[in-house]
Every structure is written in structure tokens, then in C-alpha cells.
Amino acid sequence: VSGGVQHPWHCDIQHSSDPVPLAHSFIKDRSKASGLPMKSKKASSFHEFARSTSDAWDIGDDEDEDFSSSSSSSLQTLNSKVAKATAAQVLENHSKLRVKPERCQAALGELPTNCKVIKSSSEAQLSRTSEEACVRSPLQKQQSLPLRPVIPLVARISDQNASGAPPMTVREKTRLEKFRQLLSSHNTDLDELRKCSWPGVPREVRPVTWRLLSGYLPANSERRKLTLQRKREEYFGFIQQYYDSRNEEHHQDTYRQIHIDIPRTNPLIPLFQQPLVQEIFERILFIWAIRHPASGYVQGINDLVTPFFVVFLSEHVEEDVENFDVTNLSQDVLRSIEADSFWCMSKLLDGIQDNYTFAQPGIQKKVKALEELVSRIDEQVHNHFRKYEVEYLQFAFRWMNNLLMRELPLRCTIRLWDTYQSEPEGFSHFHLYVCAAFLIKWRKEILDEEDFQGLLMLLQNLPTIHWGNEEIGLLLAEAYRLKYMFADAPNHYRR
């Protein structure tokens, strides 16, 4: 998918928002032995699990009328046969690519595949590589309790091909030119932009594409400059109006929690440890919390800023973003990155706000939907969890709450969000199918584990560290196929 194959996969599927509240007590450090009920094979209660997890977000009302996007109603539904055929072709192309010997080297062996999701066209090749995957699986037991994913490939964080990339292929040049034509037209065709963005957005045009897809920028090119100027001024108006109140007693808890969480945001990436960047994040999160008093700030929401910040920073930086010293940028550039990150993050949260109301019922419903979906597509895996008393909530809560950000390197999250922003209800509805495809991706490793603790250790430390665009592309292709097969089949949700 990421190799530039253009496939307009769009399917308008009605999905009820599923809210879920999470207690505001998720403030324990992730490095503590958490999330694994060691002593009892019996599944821990929801509250016990919540207390041992530091991935909680909250959400409230959204921003103003600028985010009303009439374009979402104009999403075109493609002919189902075309969509199905395209998905099959993408999977087949991926399987052919994976036959290359260099893809089987140990350095890239983090492809524990054996992904038997309903007879995929790539199944044969995936099963061939399962032996290599299984060589790595025993390593997972030796790891400590779950921490944030370590990202050794720092130079590839913002995009797998961002630095040290080979010359662009003819296909990539053609795609980039197509994007540039769309973006420079008087009125950008947002439906066409979504179709082009589904298989990934070229790094060069990702910032402006994300602004358009999130509804932050208008499709009319003549209005964009004024809109950006107005929204950026509006954000810094909020700063002047509200930021000093962080020292007031009734905001102390909010500000203190934000202040604690910021240094934990991608702690292994130098960019996010710079004081200036941490100040920017503090302002963004505090203003968001003040403007959403019904929910306020909850730990974990800090992660959501990072993809936007990296993408908008990359617009001004040629070298490796993750090691860049932001003090080299002008005040005006930093202000624009900060304001754009705030507004786009706010728009994202608006689309999944039902996940973060009190007690987070939305996430609980989505976890239940995932359980029922998996029981249909891979009964063996589902029964394996039941046999060893593993509750889906114990691993999938984080998947829904953090949009898989804790399971994937940041570069993969950015690629994933290209597609999420192209899909109708991508961060809510389509994410369910991505989680299902992600789970079945590890079916062999899951079935090899034969005790409660081993299963939880595996599921909270999945080896995605070397993943890049190809792995995400294959995951998305499987997720799309699952959505196509199950989304409009209510019987699949009944046992």
C-alpha cells in the first residue's frame, strides 16, 4: 500500500460512537511493574487494570464552526467489486515484494506474520515467513514489563524514507506530482485527496495535506492564508486569556499532571526532551483542558500531540527531525507549528470524544466489539484467550485508548494517520478493524503461549520496532478487507 499503489478505498459505513470513561488516576509511571496481574491467572477487574495503566485520555466538547466539514458528507462510496479487487491486488503486490531475499534478513525479521485473516491472497507467503517470526518470539518473554516502544531507528521516525532515502521512483514522483496538482488547484477536491492519501502521503506534502484532511484548512486555496492567520491568532488569544490561570488553585491538579506527563512523552527521542518543546506541549494541553471543562486533561492525551508536531515541524526542517534543535527556528515558525498542532489535535479528539467521557464506556464497547469480531474471524485465537482467562480489556484497552501509539514506532503512527484521516470515521470506526488485523497478525505467537502471564507479556510487548511503511501498508490492507466483509453484516456481531 505504501509503495504508491493508488486505490480509492472508501466505504461510508454508519458507526455509532462508542464512549468510554477512564478514571483520572492514570498517573503512575509506566516503568513500574504494571498491567500484568502476575499472582493470579484470573483476569483482573477493570478498576485494577485501570489503576495499573497510565494510558488514559479524556475528552469533551469540540472546537468551533471552522471544523464543520461539509466534505465528509460527500465521501463517495466506490463500487464494491472495484474496492474488493483493489484490496486483493494490494495484498498480492505486498506478498510479491516480501519474496525478495533481502526482506528476510534477520535485521528485518520483525514480521511475525502468519496472518490467517479469512484466506488472504498473501496467506501463502505469510505462512512461509512464520518460521522466521517464531525464532524471535521467545525473546519477548525475556523483556521487562511494558515500556514505551524503543525506537533505535531514530533517523526514520517521521517517515520511513525521510532520511537516507534512495532516489524517488517514477511511481513516487508521479504520486507526488498528483498531490501537488490537487493541493495547488483553486478548490482542492477533498474526495480525490483522500483517495490519494489512503496509501500514504509523501513527506513533502504531508503537512498541508493533514491540515486539509483534518478540516483545519479550507479547500479553497485563496482562503487558506487568512484562515491560518486567524486561527493562529485565536489560539494565542487563548494563551493570553487562560495560560496564567495554571497557577490558580482550581487548575493546579490539571497543570501538575500535564507537567508530570510531558517529560514522559517519547522519552527516547531528543526532540521531545528539549525545554522549548516541552513548554509548547504544556501550553497546548493546558489550553485544550481549559476549553473542555467537561472532561479536562487526562494522562495519555500528551501522546496525541506528537504526530502533528513532528509533521508540522518537518515542513521547516530538512535534516532529521528527531535530533533537531528547535531554538534554531524563528519565533513565528514555532508559533505556527504550535497553533496548528493544537487545532488539528482538537479536531482529532472531537471525532473520538465518546471514548473519553466518564468511565469511558466507548472504549469498553469498542473492546467488546473487537472481541466479537475476533471470535468470528479467528475462533482459534479467541478460544485460546478464553482457555487462559485473558480478557480483551487487559490488552485492547490501550489499543483503543492510545490508537495503537504505544504499540508502534512513531513513524508508523504517522503513516497510519495518513489513512485514518482519509477514511470516514478513521480514528473511531476503521481503527477497530486495524486492531483486529493487528491482533491476528500475531496469531502464531499467541497460540504458542500457553499461560496467562506469557500471553499478557507478549500482547503488551509486541515486536514492531523495525516496522515501516510496508508492514503498516499490509496491516491496513487486511483491516480494509475485514471492514469490507464485516461492517455491514450485523450477524457477525451476534453469538
PDB file of all heavy atoms in Angstrom, residues 389-421:
ATOM      1  N   GLU A 389      -7.954 -17.493  30.271  1.00  0.00           N
ATOM      2  CA  GLU A 389      -8.624 -16.429  31.030  1.00  0.00           C
ATOM      3  C   GLU A 389      -8.023 -15.051  30.771  1.00  0.00           C
ATOM      4  O   GLU A 389      -7.891 -14.229  31.673  1.00  0.00           O
ATOM      5  CB  GLU A 389      -8.602 -16.756  32.528  1.00  0.00           C
ATOM      6  CG  GLU A 389      -9.334 -18.046  32.848  1.00  0.00           C
ATOM      7  CD  GLU A 389      -9.305 -18.373  34.331  1.00  0.00           C
ATOM      8  OE1 GLU A 389      -8.190 -18.514  34.881  1.00  0.00           O
ATOM      9  OE2 GLU A 389     -10.378 -18.467  34.930  1.00  0.00           O
ATOM     10  N   VAL A 390      -7.663 -14.805  29.539  1.00  0.00           N
ATOM     11  CA  VAL A 390      -7.190 -13.483  29.139  1.00  0.00           C
ATOM     12  C   VAL A 390      -8.387 -12.661  28.668  1.00  0.00           C
ATOM     13  O   VAL A 390      -9.110 -13.074  27.764  1.00  0.00           O
ATOM     14  CB  VAL A 390      -6.151 -13.579  27.997  1.00  0.00           C
ATOM     15  CG1 VAL A 390      -5.832 -12.192  27.442  1.00  0.00           C
ATOM     16  CG2 VAL A 390      -4.883 -14.260  28.495  1.00  0.00           C
ATOM     17  N   GLU A 391      -8.604 -11.528  29.300  1.00  0.00           N
ATOM     18  CA  GLU A 391      -9.684 -10.632  28.910  1.00  0.00           C
ATOM     19  C   GLU A 391      -9.163  -9.640  27.873  1.00  0.00           C
ATOM     20  O   GLU A 391      -8.065  -9.109  28.018  1.00  0.00           O
ATOM     21  CB  GLU A 391     -10.201  -9.871  30.137  1.00  0.00           C
ATOM     22  CG  GLU A 391     -10.780 -10.748  31.229  1.00  0.00           C
ATOM     23  CD  GLU A 391     -12.130 -11.333  30.843  1.00  0.00           C
ATOM     24  OE1 GLU A 391     -12.776 -10.779  29.926  1.00  0.00           O
ATOM     25  OE2 GLU A 391     -12.538 -12.332  31.463  1.00  0.00           O
ATOM     26  N   TYR A 392      -9.952  -9.373  26.863  1.00  0.00           N
ATOM     27  CA  TYR A 392      -9.542  -8.431  25.819  1.00  0.00           C
ATOM     28  C   TYR A 392      -9.240  -7.057  26.413  1.00  0.00           C
ATOM     29  O   TYR A 392      -8.361  -6.337  25.944  1.00  0.00           O
ATOM     30  CB  TYR A 392     -10.620  -8.309  24.746  1.00  0.00           C
ATOM     31  CG  TYR A 392     -10.659  -9.467  23.778  1.00  0.00           C
ATOM     32  CD1 TYR A 392     -11.152 -10.718  24.162  1.00  0.00           C
ATOM     33  CD2 TYR A 392     -10.204  -9.325  22.474  1.00  0.00           C
ATOM     34  CE1 TYR A 392     -11.191 -11.787  23.274  1.00  0.00           C
ATOM     35  CE2 TYR A 392     -10.233 -10.374  21.568  1.00  0.00           C
ATOM     36  CZ  TYR A 392     -10.728 -11.612  21.981  1.00  0.00           C
ATOM     37  OH  TYR A 392     -10.748 -12.664  21.096  1.00  0.00           O
ATOM     38  N   LEU A 393      -9.983  -6.688  27.453  1.00  0.00           N
ATOM     39  CA  LEU A 393      -9.778  -5.387  28.071  1.00  0.00           C
ATOM     40  C   LEU A 393      -8.341  -5.217  28.576  1.00  0.00           C
ATOM     41  O   LEU A 393      -7.809  -4.110  28.601  1.00  0.00           O
ATOM     42  CB  LEU A 393     -10.757  -5.222  29.239  1.00  0.00           C
ATOM     43  CG  LEU A 393     -10.898  -3.818  29.836  1.00  0.00           C
ATOM     44  CD1 LEU A 393     -11.524  -2.872  28.831  1.00  0.00           C
ATOM     45  CD2 LEU A 393     -11.710  -3.859  31.112  1.00  0.00           C
ATOM     46  N   GLN A 394      -7.706  -6.329  28.941  1.00  0.00           N
ATOM     47  CA  GLN A 394      -6.380  -6.248  29.541  1.00  0.00           C
ATOM     48  C   GLN A 394      -5.294  -5.832  28.547  1.00  0.00           C
ATOM     49  O   GLN A 394      -4.244  -5.347  28.959  1.00  0.00           O
ATOM     50  CB  GLN A 394      -6.020  -7.602  30.175  1.00  0.00           C
ATOM     51  CG  GLN A 394      -6.878  -7.904  31.391  1.00  0.00           C
ATOM     52  CD  GLN A 394      -6.785  -9.363  31.814  1.00  0.00           C
ATOM     53  OE1 GLN A 394      -6.666 -10.262  30.988  1.00  0.00           O
ATOM     54  NE2 GLN A 394      -6.842  -9.592  33.112  1.00  0.00           N
ATOM     55  N   PHE A 395      -5.522  -6.024  27.262  1.00  0.00           N
ATOM     56  CA  PHE A 395      -4.530  -5.558  26.290  1.00  0.00           C
ATOM     57  C   PHE A 395      -5.128  -4.571  25.290  1.00  0.00           C
ATOM     58  O   PHE A 395      -4.448  -3.646  24.840  1.00  0.00           O
ATOM     59  CB  PHE A 395      -3.894  -6.741  25.540  1.00  0.00           C
ATOM     60  CG  PHE A 395      -4.854  -7.560  24.721  1.00  0.00           C
ATOM     61  CD1 PHE A 395      -5.141  -7.227  23.408  1.00  0.00           C
ATOM     62  CD2 PHE A 395      -5.481  -8.685  25.275  1.00  0.00           C
ATOM     63  CE1 PHE A 395      -6.028  -7.990  22.658  1.00  0.00           C
ATOM     64  CE2 PHE A 395      -6.374  -9.445  24.522  1.00  0.00           C
ATOM     65  CZ  PHE A 395      -6.649  -9.100  23.214  1.00  0.00           C
ATOM     66  N   ALA A 396      -6.412  -4.732  24.947  1.00  0.00           N
ATOM     67  CA  ALA A 396      -7.000  -3.908  23.892  1.00  0.00           C
ATOM     68  C   ALA A 396      -7.488  -2.556  24.403  1.00  0.00           C
ATOM     69  O   ALA A 396      -7.714  -1.652  23.597  1.00  0.00           O
ATOM     70  CB  ALA A 396      -8.153  -4.648  23.221  1.00  0.00           C
ATOM     71  N   PHE A 397      -7.616  -2.416  25.711  1.00  0.00           N
ATOM     72  CA  PHE A 397      -7.987  -1.105  26.239  1.00  0.00           C
ATOM     73  C   PHE A 397      -6.972  -0.064  25.776  1.00  0.00           C
ATOM     74  O   PHE A 397      -7.320   1.008  25.300  1.00  0.00           O
ATOM     75  CB  PHE A 397      -8.038  -1.150  27.773  1.00  0.00           C
ATOM     76  CG  PHE A 397      -8.440   0.162  28.384  1.00  0.00           C
ATOM     77  CD1 PHE A 397      -9.766   0.438  28.640  1.00  0.00           C
ATOM     78  CD2 PHE A 397      -7.490   1.121  28.678  1.00  0.00           C
ATOM     79  CE1 PHE A 397     -10.144   1.658  29.182  1.00  0.00           C
ATOM     80  CE2 PHE A 397      -7.850   2.338  29.212  1.00  0.00           C
ATOM     81  CZ  PHE A 397      -9.179   2.603  29.468  1.00  0.00           C
ATOM     82  N   ARG A 398      -5.706  -0.391  25.899  1.00  0.00           N
ATOM     83  CA  ARG A 398      -4.650   0.540  25.497  1.00  0.00           C
ATOM     84  C   ARG A 398      -4.670   0.767  23.987  1.00  0.00           C
ATOM     85  O   ARG A 398      -4.396   1.860  23.508  1.00  0.00           O
ATOM     86  CB  ARG A 398      -3.284  -0.014  25.939  1.00  0.00           C
ATOM     87  CG  ARG A 398      -2.143   0.957  25.747  1.00  0.00           C
ATOM     88  CD  ARG A 398      -0.892   0.476  26.435  1.00  0.00           C
ATOM     89  NE  ARG A 398      -0.177  -0.526  25.648  1.00  0.00           N
ATOM     90  CZ  ARG A 398       0.942  -1.122  26.061  1.00  0.00           C
ATOM     91  NH1 ARG A 398       1.420  -0.851  27.261  1.00  0.00           N
ATOM     92  NH2 ARG A 398       1.559  -2.007  25.299  1.00  0.00           N
ATOM     93  N   TRP A 399      -5.003  -0.285  23.232  1.00  0.00           N
ATOM     94  CA  TRP A 399      -5.047  -0.159  21.768  1.00  0.00           C
ATOM     95  C   TRP A 399      -6.096   0.856  21.339  1.00  0.00           C
ATOM     96  O   TRP A 399      -5.888   1.616  20.385  1.00  0.00           O
ATOM     97  CB  TRP A 399      -5.360  -1.508  21.124  1.00  0.00           C
ATOM     98  CG  TRP A 399      -4.326  -2.563  21.328  1.00  0.00           C
ATOM     99  CD1 TRP A 399      -3.231  -2.506  22.150  1.00  0.00           C
ATOM    100  CD2 TRP A 399      -4.283  -3.840  20.698  1.00  0.00           C
ATOM    101  NE1 TRP A 399      -2.519  -3.669  22.069  1.00  0.00           N
ATOM    102  CE2 TRP A 399      -3.148  -4.510  21.193  1.00  0.00           C
ATOM    103  CE3 TRP A 399      -5.104  -4.484  19.778  1.00  0.00           C
ATOM    104  CZ2 TRP A 399      -2.801  -5.792  20.785  1.00  0.00           C
ATOM    105  CZ3 TRP A 399      -4.764  -5.762  19.370  1.00  0.00           C
ATOM    106  CH2 TRP A 399      -3.619  -6.418  19.871  1.00  0.00           C
ATOM    107  N   MET A 400      -7.237   0.840  22.028  1.00  0.00           N
ATOM    108  CA  MET A 400      -8.310   1.776  21.700  1.00  0.00           C
ATOM    109  C   MET A 400      -8.019   3.155  22.288  1.00  0.00           C
ATOM    110  O   MET A 400      -8.202   4.184  21.639  1.00  0.00           O
ATOM    111  CB  MET A 400      -9.649   1.266  22.254  1.00  0.00           C
ATOM    112  CG  MET A 400     -10.078  -0.086  21.715  1.00  0.00           C
ATOM    113  SD  MET A 400     -10.294  -0.070  19.915  1.00  0.00           S
ATOM    114  CE  MET A 400     -10.673  -1.797  19.626  1.00  0.00           C
ATOM    115  N   ASN A 401      -7.551   3.177  23.514  1.00  0.00           N
ATOM    116  CA  ASN A 401      -7.322   4.424  24.221  1.00  0.00           C
ATOM    117  C   ASN A 401      -6.198   5.239  23.594  1.00  0.00           C
ATOM    118  O   ASN A 401      -6.259   6.461  23.532  1.00  0.00           O
ATOM    119  CB  ASN A 401      -6.983   4.115  25.682  1.00  0.00           C
ATOM    120  CG  ASN A 401      -7.044   5.343  26.554  1.00  0.00           C
ATOM    121  OD1 ASN A 401      -8.017   6.074  26.538  1.00  0.00           O
ATOM    122  ND2 ASN A 401      -5.990   5.580  27.311  1.00  0.00           N
ATOM    123  N   ASN A 402      -5.161   4.563  23.129  1.00  0.00           N
ATOM    124  CA  ASN A 402      -3.982   5.247  22.594  1.00  0.00           C
ATOM    125  C   ASN A 402      -3.818   5.073  21.091  1.00  0.00           C
ATOM    126  O   ASN A 402      -2.762   5.379  20.546  1.00  0.00           O
ATOM    127  CB  ASN A 402      -2.712   4.742  23.291  1.00  0.00           C
ATOM    128  CG  ASN A 402      -2.617   5.229  24.716  1.00  0.00           C
ATOM    129  OD1 ASN A 402      -3.559   5.087  25.481  1.00  0.00           O
ATOM    130  ND2 ASN A 402      -1.487   5.799  25.075  1.00  0.00           N
ATOM    131  N   LEU A 403      -4.856   4.562  20.431  1.00  0.00           N
ATOM    132  CA  LEU A 403      -4.833   4.427  18.966  1.00  0.00           C
ATOM    133  C   LEU A 403      -3.587   3.683  18.483  1.00  0.00           C
ATOM    134  O   LEU A 403      -3.006   4.037  17.456  1.00  0.00           O
ATOM    135  CB  LEU A 403      -4.898   5.816  18.311  1.00  0.00           C
ATOM    136  CG  LEU A 403      -6.149   6.635  18.626  1.00  0.00           C
ATOM    137  CD1 LEU A 403      -6.036   8.029  18.039  1.00  0.00           C
ATOM    138  CD2 LEU A 403      -7.395   5.936  18.100  1.00  0.00           C
ATOM    139  N   LEU A 404      -3.172   2.669  19.236  1.00  0.00           N
ATOM    140  CA  LEU A 404      -2.002   1.842  18.910  1.00  0.00           C
ATOM    141  C   LEU A 404      -0.684   2.617  18.959  1.00  0.00           C
ATOM    142  O   LEU A 404       0.351   2.113  18.536  1.00  0.00           O
ATOM    143  CB  LEU A 404      -2.149   1.178  17.532  1.00  0.00           C
ATOM    144  CG  LEU A 404      -3.189   0.050  17.435  1.00  0.00           C
ATOM    145  CD1 LEU A 404      -3.324  -0.431  15.986  1.00  0.00           C
ATOM    146  CD2 LEU A 404      -2.838  -1.129  18.340  1.00  0.00           C
ATOM    147  N   MET A 405      -0.694   3.831  19.484  1.00  0.00           N
ATOM    148  CA  MET A 405       0.540   4.627  19.510  1.00  0.00           C
ATOM    149  C   MET A 405       1.602   4.006  20.395  1.00  0.00           C
ATOM    150  O   MET A 405       2.791   4.186  20.152  1.00  0.00           O
ATOM    151  CB  MET A 405       0.244   6.052  19.984  1.00  0.00           C
ATOM    152  CG  MET A 405      -0.435   6.898  18.925  1.00  0.00           C
ATOM    153  SD  MET A 405      -0.561   8.639  19.397  1.00  0.00           S
ATOM    154  CE  MET A 405       1.164   9.140  19.365  1.00  0.00           C
ATOM    155  N   ARG A 406       1.190   3.283  21.436  1.00  0.00           N
ATOM    156  CA  ARG A 406       2.176   2.654  22.313  1.00  0.00           C
ATOM    157  C   ARG A 406       2.672   1.329  21.745  1.00  0.00           C
ATOM    158  O   ARG A 406       3.591   0.734  22.266  1.00  0.00           O
ATOM    159  CB  ARG A 406       1.572   2.425  23.703  1.00  0.00           C
ATOM    160  CG  ARG A 406       1.191   3.710  24.424  1.00  0.00           C
ATOM    161  CD  ARG A 406       2.420   4.484  24.884  1.00  0.00           C
ATOM    162  NE  ARG A 406       2.069   5.769  25.464  1.00  0.00           N
ATOM    163  CZ  ARG A 406       1.800   5.970  26.742  1.00  0.00           C
ATOM    164  NH1 ARG A 406       1.801   4.966  27.578  1.00  0.00           N
ATOM    165  NH2 ARG A 406       1.521   7.191  27.172  1.00  0.00           N
ATOM    166  N   GLU A 407       2.017   0.845  20.707  1.00  0.00           N
ATOM    167  CA  GLU A 407       2.396  -0.448  20.132  1.00  0.00           C
ATOM    168  C   GLU A 407       3.290  -0.282  18.901  1.00  0.00           C
ATOM    169  O   GLU A 407       3.889  -1.255  18.444  1.00  0.00           O
ATOM    170  CB  GLU A 407       1.153  -1.247  19.709  1.00  0.00           C
ATOM    171  CG  GLU A 407      -0.062  -1.126  20.619  1.00  0.00           C
ATOM    172  CD  GLU A 407       0.243  -1.369  22.076  1.00  0.00           C
ATOM    173  OE1 GLU A 407       1.012  -2.301  22.378  1.00  0.00           O
ATOM    174  OE2 GLU A 407      -0.292  -0.621  22.928  1.00  0.00           O
ATOM    175  N   LEU A 408       3.372   0.927  18.345  1.00  0.00           N
ATOM    176  CA  LEU A 408       4.070   1.135  17.085  1.00  0.00           C
ATOM    177  C   LEU A 408       5.087   2.270  17.211  1.00  0.00           C
ATOM    178  O   LEU A 408       4.880   3.202  17.978  1.00  0.00           O
ATOM    179  CB  LEU A 408       3.070   1.508  15.976  1.00  0.00           C
ATOM    180  CG  LEU A 408       1.982   0.487  15.648  1.00  0.00           C
ATOM    181  CD1 LEU A 408       0.924   1.141  14.748  1.00  0.00           C
ATOM    182  CD2 LEU A 408       2.575  -0.735  14.966  1.00  0.00           C
ATOM    183  N   PRO A 409       6.176   2.202  16.430  1.00  0.00           N
ATOM    184  CA  PRO A 409       7.090   3.348  16.372  1.00  0.00           C
ATOM    185  C   PRO A 409       6.352   4.571  15.833  1.00  0.00           C
ATOM    186  O   PRO A 409       5.390   4.440  15.073  1.00  0.00           O
ATOM    187  CB  PRO A 409       8.183   2.891  15.388  1.00  0.00           C
ATOM    188  CG  PRO A 409       8.076   1.401  15.332  1.00  0.00           C
ATOM    189  CD  PRO A 409       6.634   1.079  15.596  1.00  0.00           C
ATOM    190  N   LEU A 410       6.818   5.754  16.196  1.00  0.00           N
ATOM    191  CA  LEU A 410       6.125   6.975  15.808  1.00  0.00           C
ATOM    192  C   LEU A 410       6.021   7.124  14.297  1.00  0.00           C
ATOM    193  O   LEU A 410       5.013   7.592  13.773  1.00  0.00           O
ATOM    194  CB  LEU A 410       6.842   8.189  16.413  1.00  0.00           C
ATOM    195  CG  LEU A 410       6.208   9.560  16.183  1.00  0.00           C
ATOM    196  CD1 LEU A 410       4.740   9.582  16.586  1.00  0.00           C
ATOM    197  CD2 LEU A 410       6.975  10.639  16.921  1.00  0.00           C
ATOM    198  N   ARG A 411       7.044   6.700  13.573  1.00  0.00           N
ATOM    199  CA  ARG A 411       6.981   6.806  12.104  1.00  0.00           C
ATOM    200  C   ARG A 411       5.804   5.998  11.558  1.00  0.00           C
ATOM    201  O   ARG A 411       5.188   6.378  10.571  1.00  0.00           O
ATOM    202  CB  ARG A 411       8.293   6.331  11.472  1.00  0.00           C
ATOM    203  CG  ARG A 411       8.595   4.866  11.747  1.00  0.00           C
ATOM    204  CD  ARG A 411       9.859   4.371  11.056  1.00  0.00           C
ATOM    205  NE  ARG A 411      10.107   2.990  11.427  1.00  0.00           N
ATOM    206  CZ  ARG A 411      10.771   2.613  12.510  1.00  0.00           C
ATOM    207  NH1 ARG A 411      11.284   3.544  13.307  1.00  0.00           N
ATOM    208  NH2 ARG A 411      10.942   1.339  12.793  1.00  0.00           N
ATOM    209  N   CYS A 412       5.509   4.863  12.214  1.00  0.00           N
ATOM    210  CA  CYS A 412       4.387   4.025  11.773  1.00  0.00           C
ATOM    211  C   CYS A 412       3.052   4.683  12.123  1.00  0.00           C
ATOM    212  O   CYS A 412       2.082   4.579  11.361  1.00  0.00           O
ATOM    213  CB  CYS A 412       4.479   2.644  12.413  1.00  0.00           C
ATOM    214  SG  CYS A 412       5.878   1.673  11.816  1.00  0.00           S
ATOM    215  N   THR A 413       2.997   5.345  13.268  1.00  0.00           N
ATOM    216  CA  THR A 413       1.778   6.057  13.643  1.00  0.00           C
ATOM    217  C   THR A 413       1.466   7.137  12.619  1.00  0.00           C
ATOM    218  O   THR A 413       0.314   7.317  12.202  1.00  0.00           O
ATOM    219  CB  THR A 413       1.933   6.701  15.038  1.00  0.00           C
ATOM    220  OG1 THR A 413       2.045   5.666  16.018  1.00  0.00           O
ATOM    221  CG2 THR A 413       0.747   7.582  15.375  1.00  0.00           C
ATOM    222  N   ILE A 414       2.493   7.861  12.183  1.00  0.00           N
ATOM    223  CA  ILE A 414       2.285   8.927  11.202  1.00  0.00           C
ATOM    224  C   ILE A 414       1.742   8.349   9.898  1.00  0.00           C
ATOM    225  O   ILE A 414       0.799   8.883   9.304  1.00  0.00           O
ATOM    226  CB  ILE A 414       3.595   9.701  10.985  1.00  0.00           C
ATOM    227  CG1 ILE A 414       3.907  10.531  12.241  1.00  0.00           C
ATOM    228  CG2 ILE A 414       3.511  10.603   9.754  1.00  0.00           C
ATOM    229  CD1 ILE A 414       5.272  11.177  12.247  1.00  0.00           C
ATOM    230  N   ARG A 415       2.317   7.238   9.460  1.00  0.00           N
ATOM    231  CA  ARG A 415       1.829   6.591   8.242  1.00  0.00           C
ATOM    232  C   ARG A 415       0.381   6.105   8.436  1.00  0.00           C
ATOM    233  O   ARG A 415      -0.457   6.229   7.545  1.00  0.00           O
ATOM    234  CB  ARG A 415       2.758   5.421   7.868  1.00  0.00           C
ATOM    235  CG  ARG A 415       2.205   4.457   6.824  1.00  0.00           C
ATOM    236  CD  ARG A 415       1.957   5.141   5.471  1.00  0.00           C
ATOM    237  NE  ARG A 415       1.172   4.266   4.607  1.00  0.00           N
ATOM    238  CZ  ARG A 415      -0.149   4.282   4.545  1.00  0.00           C
ATOM    239  NH1 ARG A 415      -0.848   5.109   5.308  1.00  0.00           N
ATOM    240  NH2 ARG A 415      -0.781   3.466   3.720  1.00  0.00           N
ATOM    241  N   LEU A 416       0.103   5.543   9.606  1.00  0.00           N
ATOM    242  CA  LEU A 416      -1.248   5.062   9.909  1.00  0.00           C
ATOM    243  C   LEU A 416      -2.252   6.214   9.857  1.00  0.00           C
ATOM    244  O   LEU A 416      -3.366   6.065   9.341  1.00  0.00           O
ATOM    245  CB  LEU A 416      -1.244   4.421  11.302  1.00  0.00           C
ATOM    246  CG  LEU A 416      -2.428   3.570  11.721  1.00  0.00           C
ATOM    247  CD1 LEU A 416      -2.528   2.311  10.867  1.00  0.00           C
ATOM    248  CD2 LEU A 416      -2.303   3.185  13.198  1.00  0.00           C
ATOM    249  N   TRP A 417      -1.847   7.366  10.369  1.00  0.00           N
ATOM    250  CA  TRP A 417      -2.758   8.510  10.417  1.00  0.00           C
ATOM    251  C   TRP A 417      -3.022   9.078   9.023  1.00  0.00           C
ATOM    252  O   TRP A 417      -4.054   9.723   8.825  1.00  0.00           O
ATOM    253  CB  TRP A 417      -2.201   9.581  11.361  1.00  0.00           C
ATOM    254  CG  TRP A 417      -2.386   9.224  12.805  1.00  0.00           C
ATOM    255  CD1 TRP A 417      -2.599   7.965  13.323  1.00  0.00           C
ATOM    256  CD2 TRP A 417      -2.372  10.113  13.920  1.00  0.00           C
ATOM    257  NE1 TRP A 417      -2.714   8.021  14.695  1.00  0.00           N
ATOM    258  CE2 TRP A 417      -2.571   9.331  15.087  1.00  0.00           C
ATOM    259  CE3 TRP A 417      -2.193  11.473  14.061  1.00  0.00           C
ATOM    260  CZ2 TRP A 417      -2.607   9.893  16.361  1.00  0.00           C
ATOM    261  CZ3 TRP A 417      -2.225  12.030  15.331  1.00  0.00           C
ATOM    262  CH2 TRP A 417      -2.441  11.253  16.469  1.00  0.00           C
ATOM    263  N   ASP A 418      -2.100   8.875   8.075  1.00  0.00           N
ATOM    264  CA  ASP A 418      -2.407   9.252   6.687  1.00  0.00           C
ATOM    265  C   ASP A 418      -3.721   8.596   6.266  1.00  0.00           C
ATOM    266  O   ASP A 418      -4.600   9.226   5.674  1.00  0.00           O
ATOM    267  CB  ASP A 418      -1.303   8.768   5.733  1.00  0.00           C
ATOM    268  CG  ASP A 418      -0.015   9.562   5.838  1.00  0.00           C
ATOM    269  OD1 ASP A 418      -0.034  10.672   6.400  1.00  0.00           O
ATOM    270  OD2 ASP A 418       1.024   9.063   5.345  1.00  0.00           O
ATOM    271  N   THR A 419      -3.834   7.301   6.573  1.00  0.00           N
ATOM    272  CA  THR A 419      -5.019   6.538   6.176  1.00  0.00           C
ATOM    273  C   THR A 419      -6.216   6.863   7.066  1.00  0.00           C
ATOM    274  O   THR A 419      -7.340   7.009   6.573  1.00  0.00           O
ATOM    275  CB  THR A 419      -4.719   5.032   6.228  1.00  0.00           C
ATOM    276  OG1 THR A 419      -3.651   4.739   5.325  1.00  0.00           O
ATOM    277  CG2 THR A 419      -5.941   4.215   5.836  1.00  0.00           C
ATOM    278  N   TYR A 420      -5.992   6.982   8.370  1.00  0.00           N
ATOM    279  CA  TYR A 420      -7.101   7.298   9.272  1.00  0.00           C
ATOM    280  C   TYR A 420      -7.782   8.606   8.879  1.00  0.00           C
ATOM    281  O   TYR A 420      -9.006   8.747   8.978  1.00  0.00           O
ATOM    282  CB  TYR A 420      -6.608   7.399  10.717  1.00  0.00           C
ATOM    283  CG  TYR A 420      -6.438   6.062  11.418  1.00  0.00           C
ATOM    284  CD1 TYR A 420      -6.622   4.860  10.733  1.00  0.00           C
ATOM    285  CD2 TYR A 420      -6.090   5.995  12.763  1.00  0.00           C
ATOM    286  CE1 TYR A 420      -6.469   3.640  11.382  1.00  0.00           C
ATOM    287  CE2 TYR A 420      -5.940   4.777  13.419  1.00  0.00           C
ATOM    288  CZ  TYR A 420      -6.124   3.604  12.724  1.00  0.00           C
ATOM    289  OH  TYR A 420      -5.969   2.395  13.366  1.00  0.00           O
ATOM    290  N   GLN A 421      -6.991   9.575   8.438  1.00  0.00           N
ATOM    291  CA  GLN A 421      -7.575  10.862   8.048  1.00  0.00           C
ATOM    292  C   GLN A 421      -8.238  10.792   6.672  1.00  0.00           C
ATOM    293  O   GLN A 421      -8.985  11.686   6.294  1.00  0.00           O
ATOM    294  CB  GLN A 421      -6.510  11.960   8.070  1.00  0.00           C
ATOM    295  CG  GLN A 421      -6.007  12.247   9.476  1.00  0.00           C
ATOM    296  CD  GLN A 421      -5.040  13.416   9.537  1.00  0.00           C
ATOM    297  OE1 GLN A 421      -5.434  14.547   9.755  1.00  0.00           O
ATOM    298  NE2 GLN A 421      -3.770  13.122   9.348  1.00  0.00           N
TER     299      GLN A 421
END
